[in-house]
Amino acid sequence: MGEAEPAARRASASAEVTPRPLWLATIVLGALALVLVGLSVPIGIAARQPFDGLVLAGVLAAALGWLIIRRQPGNRIGLLVGFGALLVFYEDAANYAALDYHLHHGILPLGFPAVLIASELWSAMFLMPPLIIAILLGGGAGQMRGTRIVVQGNGQLVHNPFPAGALGFVLVIAFLAVPAFWVLFVARQVLSWRRATGERRAQLKWLMAGSAAGVIGLAGRFAFQSGMLNTVASRS
């Protein structure tokens, strides 16, 4: 009995300590998300950009992650806070790029990296591995350097050719693999949901509902953006 009690105490202590790094990371990412949301308002107004649902999607994702991490400090789904911050960061960069190159003729600081992020980082929402993101950013920077930068209303380059050669081949394979991974992910979650009970079943239900809402929201965002660009192009 004397040996069992210290073991139980050590297990309890480790259970309390284990979630702490995740909790701290969520707090840092949540603070970053709040700062980025605060910046999005003045940047969007200064750039004369219409309201974009991407910031709202980022806020909702961050709020969901925060609610999860408060109830279950060890649940890694709480890192949705970081994904929400990424969405807002992308939108801030895109609006800043439009502000710089549409209204200030490229003289503002950090305009070049803002265009680079707006043109290439959108893929990070679908391709999370850091190596692929670094390849895209590096390739985009090489294409932009030494050329005249012309951006669209959404802050992306007007002419942003797809990488050629071996790099282009790797990216094509990566993009083709993404839908397959999505299908496998959905199938796995459906099977888990059918086998689960109680709180776990409810968690999977909300996860699937949130994923569906995210896909619908992104599709609507891209459709709205495409319609706006076509309208501007027809007027010009």
Side-chain angles (χ1 to χ4, degrees):
M1 292 295 292
E3 295 179 356
E5 289 182 2
R9 290 176 183 175
R10 287 196 299 269
S12 177
S14 63
E16 293 177 359
V17 172
T18 300
R20 188 171 299 172
L22 184 62
W23 174 255
L24 292 176
T26 305
I27 291 177
V28 172
L29 291 172
L32 177 61
L34 288 175
V35 172
L36 292 171
V37 170
L39 291 175
S40 67
V41 176
I43 293 176
I45 293 175
R48 302 173 187 173
Q49 295 294 313
F51 173 77
D52 197 315
L54 197 61
V55 173
L56 178 60
V59 171
L60 293 177
L64 177 60
W66 179 254
L67 289 175
I68 291 173
I69 207 69
R70 282 198 64 187
R71 294 195 60 185
Q72 299 179 340
N75 195 327
R76 291 182 177 85
I77 299 179
L79 292 177
L80 276 172
V81 175
F83 182 69
L86 175 64
L87 293 180
V88 182
F89 173 68
Y90 170 82
E91 189 65 12
D92 286 355
N95 287 340
Y96 187 81
L99 171 66
D100 187 14
Y101 286 93
H102 280 196
L103 301 177
H104 295 275
H105 309 290
I107 64 173
L108 295 181
L110 303 178
F112 182 92
V115 176
L116 182 61
I117 291 168
S119 300
E120 306 296 345
L121 194 59
W122 62 270
S123 60
M125 292 183 283
F126 309 98
L127 301 172
M128 296 304 291
L131 178 60
I132 295 178
I133 297 173
I135 290 174
L136 287 171
L137 292 176
Q143 292 172 352
M144 290 169 57
R145 188 163 299 280
T147 62
R148 181 171 178 266
I149 297 177
V150 181
V151 302
Q152 308 177 67
N154 60 1
Q156 297 181 6
L157 290 169
V158 172
H159 300 292
N160 188 24
F162 196 80
L167 175 59
F169 177 77
V170 171
L171 292 180
V172 168
I173 297 299
F175 278 112
L176 291 177
V178 169
F181 288 140
W182 282 356
V183 172
L184 293 174
F185 171 78
V186 172
R188 184 178 184 278
Q189 297 307 317
V190 170
L191 291 176
S192 299
W193 176 76
R194 293 184 63 181
R195 298 170 181 170
T197 58
E199 185 177 356
R200 177 61 177 169
R201 187 180 180 91
Q203 289 175 347
L204 291 171
K205 179 185 71 174
W206 281 106
L207 174 62
M208 290 188 290
S211 300
V215 171
I216 294 172
L218 286 173
R221 191 257 182 182
F222 288 128
F224 174 78
Q225 186 180 72
S226 178
M228 289 289 294
L229 292 176
N230 291 334
T231 302
V232 172
S234 61
R235 289 178 178 177
S236 59

